[in-house]
Amino acid sequence: MASTEHDDRALVFITPEAYADMDAWHATAAELRRDNPVARVEAEGWTPFWAVSRHADVFEVSRRNDLYWNTEYSAPGPDLTYQFLQAAGLELPRTLVHLHGDIHNKYREVTNDWFKPAAVKGLQPAIDAIADDYVALLAEKGGECDFAVDVAVPFTIRVIMSIFGVPPEDEAFMLKLTQGMFGAADPEYLGDFTDPLDLVRSTIDEFAAYFDELSADRRARPTNDLASVIANGRVDGEPLGSTESLWYYIIVATAGHDTTSYSMSGGLEQLLRHQDQLRLLQDDPSLIVNAAEEMIRWTSPVRSFFRWVQEDTVLGGQELAKGDVVLTSYPSANRDDAAFERPDEFDITRPDAKNLLSFGLGMHYCLGAQVARREVQTMVRKVLEQVDTIELAGEPQWTGAHFVSGLKHLPISYTLK
Ligand code: HEM
């Protein structure tokens, strides 16, 4: 039923800790899909918004880029975050997900070809080689490890590093920086910082210093890596400025690694809980393409984005006014029984896995979707090729963060072939 009243249940979409218990989270999202699919949220310290939970409505908001726009505030967060950024003298973010219209298209154009399927296919040997290092590490670990920490996180960082063309020595530094940007809501990642905003501020400074140096090098000595494309990119015939280049590096570095590692760890967790499917995949490795799609549907690590309504309209039976804000919940859309048969069952053979909305849709459709798919496919395939048995060795743990989150610990035990 359409209602303009605040719905307390929909706080689940912006409450960091709620994402640390996904079973409870999904139960609440299912209720909202059923009886308040475009729910009003008036949370203290947040701009009021409408939480969009059904597949058809998230699809509509994502596709209708004329009606629903991205802005500098696209990443859902409390107003305080932006007030502090401004008070700290930092400008509001201007990465691809914060831009709209022509200006977005011009910046996206800079790297679009580099991310096309044929070009991404050329990355496979590098992805294979990096994956091999981590599969070898499984043997070194002697039968037990934390797959999320020991394999998925460093593997996905090294892939992003190889995409940029920077050396493996910097991977620990990159891990610290990206977790500073996205994991600041989780106390485990705060380190020496007691104030998450301090952490974000110093993180941005460190990113700036690192990437300025990288850009200067690639302008002097271009190669065929992504850093060279960004450093030598042009918009309206002019080179990208230092700040514009930095925003580009930040979106690829931050959007590209923990999203993918969360899908990999959360997908493997499901395989371990469904040993029949694990064996099916071991017996028929060609199932990996659909299996990876199902893992990305199931985990949906980007939790939501905000969009701004440009004209009075109706969405899912709810009237929206020009200027209203909507939140697109990808994990909820991905469990909608109107789009998926038995949505709450993990099934690597499901024929409708391709309906997933984890990568969004429309003009902001994930630029790195083909890279992410290859990474998940490659790592899971290689692990299953190596192991005879593999199972959970303890309780997995989730990151409590409302924007990008997933499994942060996945203890496993295994025997090798
Ligand atoms: C499973 C892994 C991933 C997931 C679930 C994911 C999800 C998303 C989502 C939901 C969006 C916004 C879509 C929209 O607003 O309609 C997005 C945008 C983006 N992603 Fe990904 N992503 C993943 C991996 C990657 C990788 C590996 C890269 C880079 C190598 C990447 C780079 C980007 C960029 C640059 C954008 C901004 C595109 C734009 O606004 O035009 N992502 N991603």
Side-chain angles (χ1 to χ4, degrees):
M1 292 293 287
S3 162
T4 53
E5 298 287 308
H6 163 76
D7 190 328
D8 237 15
R9 295 171 300 173
L11 289 172
V12 78
F13 296 115
I14 55 164
T15 304
E17 310 84 61
Y19 289 93
D21 179 356
M22 286 310 285
D23 288 343
W25 189 97
H26 277 299
T28 308
E31 263 184 43
L32 287 161
R33 281 196 303 279
R34 193 182 58 229
D35 58 44
N36 198 5
V38 182
R40 182 74 177 163
V41 182
E42 289 170 12
E44 204 184 331
W46 285 68
T47 299
F49 63 88
W50 301 95
V52 182
S53 51
R54 283 186 182 162
H55 188 280
D57 298 334
V58 172
F59 189 99
E60 176 74 0
V61 170
S62 307
R63 193 182 61 88
R64 290 288 310 273
N65 299 121
D66 56 328
L67 190 55
Y68 299 96
W69 287 18
N70 287 41
T71 70
E72 306 90 303
Y73 306 98
S74 297
D79 299 337
L80 205 61
T81 309
Y82 295 101
Q83 288 159 7
F84 269 88
L85 282 181
Q86 280 167 320
L90 293 167
E91 61 174 325
L92 291 174
R94 277 188 286 124
T95 78
L96 288 181
V97 294
H98 302 99
L99 300 176
H100 179 76
D102 272 2
I103 189 73
H104 166 269
N105 294 343
K106 286 175 183 174
Y107 277 97
R108 185 160 168 137
E109 198 58 27
V110 171
T111 60
N112 213 35
D113 284 352
W114 204 92
F115 281 105
K116 283 196 173 142
V120 169
K121 203 172 165 194
L123 297 176
Q124 189 62 45
I127 296 176
D128 278 337
I130 300 170
D132 285 341
D133 284 351
Y134 288 97
V135 174
L137 187 116
L138 288 183
E140 283 165 36
K141 288 267 172 189
E144 274 201 24
C145 75
D146 181 338
F147 182 82
V149 173
D150 297 328
V151 178
V153 169
F155 166 65
T156 49
I157 291 175
R158 277 189 59 193
V159 172
I160 292 295
M161 300 292 269
S162 83
I163 282 175
F164 282 139
V166 294
E169 307 85 85
D170 293 343
E171 78 189 52
F173 177 69
M174 289 296 284
L175 172 63
K176 195 183 91 184
L177 291 192
T178 51
Q179 285 177 339
M181 291 289 282
F182 276 154
D186 191 313
E188 187 169 333
Y189 293 135
L190 276 177
D192 295 337
F193 289 86
T194 48
D195 177 359
L197 288 163
D198 265 358
L199 176 58
V200 170
R201 188 167 41 213
S202 77
T203 300
I204 290 176
D205 286 347
E206 286 184 83
F207 260 121
Y210 185 85
F211 287 121
D212 268 354
E213 212 176 296
L214 185 63
S215 286
D217 183 73
R218 293 305 192 274
R219 287 196 184 105
R221 286 173 291 277
T223 68
N224 58 0
D225 59 25
L226 186 64
S228 300
V229 177
I230 296 171
N232 297 290
R234 287 177 176 263
V235 167
D236 291 335
E238 296 296 321
L240 271 69
S242 164
T243 315
E244 283 68 29
S245 303
L246 177 63
W247 288 125
Y248 227 124
Y249 287 123
I250 287 181
I251 187 66
V252 175
T254 52
H257 107 264
D258 48 3
T259 47
T260 316
S261 67
Y262 286 139
S263 278
M264 208 172 282
S265 296
L268 183 66
E269 183 228 3
Q270 286 304 306
L271 277 182
L272 302 186
R273 291 190 189 279
H274 299 92
Q275 292 279 333
D276 51 332
Q277 297 190 45
L278 188 144
R279 278 188 294 278
L280 194 64
L281 192 51
Q282 276 180 314
D283 291 345
D284 180 1
S286 72
L287 290 174
I288 190 63
V289 174
N290 204 63
E293 219 63 0
E294 174 66 344
M295 291 174 185
I296 297 168
R297 176 191 78 94
W298 185 266
T299 51
S300 221
V302 174
R303 304 314 198 174
S304 59
F305 268 108
F306 273 162
R307 298 279 204 271
W308 273 257
V309 180
Q310 298 304 306
E311 299 294 339
D312 293 358
T313 188
V314 177
L315 177 72
Q318 178 65 59
E319 288 183 5
L320 303 179
K322 180 177 179 177
D324 279 359
V325 180
V326 295
L327 172 145
T328 52
S329 177
Y330 305 112
S332 175
N334 281 336
R335 296 291 180 96
D336 189 337
D337 58 12
F340 303 94
E341 291 281 332
R342 301 166 287 104
D344 293 320
E345 285 177 31
F346 178 81
D347 178 1
I348 61 168
T349 65
R350 68 167 53 251
D352 49 18
K354 61 180 182 316
N355 294 342
L356 86 176
L357 281 177
S358 312
F359 292 118
L361 206 77
M363 69 194 268
H364 291 280
Y365 179 76
C366 176
L367 197 51
Q370 303 307 329
V371 178
R373 288 180 162 119
R374 275 182 188 276
E375 287 183 69
V376 175
Q377 292 167 14
T378 306
M379 179 52 82
V380 174
R381 176 173 52 78
K382 283 185 185 281
V383 169
L384 295 193
E385 274 167 12
Q386 290 300 311
V387 298
D388 191 17
T389 62
I390 177 164
E391 49 200 35
L392 278 176
E395 270 313 298
Q397 278 176 42
W398 275 261
T399 323
H402 72 273
F403 181 33
V404 175
S405 52
L407 269 190
K408 62 179 173 183
H409 295 297
L410 180 64
I412 59 167
S413 61
Y414 46 87
T415 53
L416 298 173
K417 278 180 181 159

